[in-house]
Amino acid sequence: MSRILFSAISSVGAILGISITLIRKNYYVKPLSIFVVLYIMGQIIGYGLGVDILKAVVPSPTNPETGTMYQIIPSIVFPLVLAFTSNYVFRLFKSHLGGS
């Protein structure tokens, strides 16, 4: 169990560290800010309510005691796509309504 916990903390920490570093370097600030919020919410829901599809790391079905399985697509890619899509839609509506 401690190996899974360590893997989860290091995985989530690495993703958030990379995102925050890119935000500080002014790369995709708005979409990455949205991603950070969505990712944290997903991890809280995943680990707090036990929703495996949202967890960054889940126990391996073949070796649940020590094996880990990383879920890149559901836990990282979905919030990332949602963040960039929502930012794009927001910019479309903003330009369509005449905002700057």
Side-chain angles (χ1 to χ4, degrees), residues 26-84:
N26 291 325
Y27 292 113
Y28 304 110
V29 174
K30 286 183 183 179
L32 283 177
S33 299
I34 296 168
F35 167 74
V36 168
V37 170
L38 291 175
Y39 186 71
I40 291 172
M41 285 175 38
Q43 295 308 304
I44 289 171
I45 292 169
Y47 288 103
L49 299 177
V51 181
D52 283 343
I53 191 97
L54 296 176
K55 294 178 182 178
V57 177
V58 294
S60 173
T62 57
N63 191 4
E65 294 289 324
T66 58
T68 58
M69 190 170 69
Y70 295 93
Q71 298 192 155
I72 302 298
I73 297 216
S75 69
I76 298 170
V77 174
F78 289 158
L80 195 61
V81 168
L82 188 60
F84 275 90

Side-chain angles (χ1 to χ4, degrees), residues 85-99:
T85 303
S86 64
N87 183 56
Y88 176 73
V89 169
F90 177 73
R91 287 189 309 157
L92 267 176
F93 279 119
K94 189 175 177 181
S95 67
H96 180 67
L97 295 175

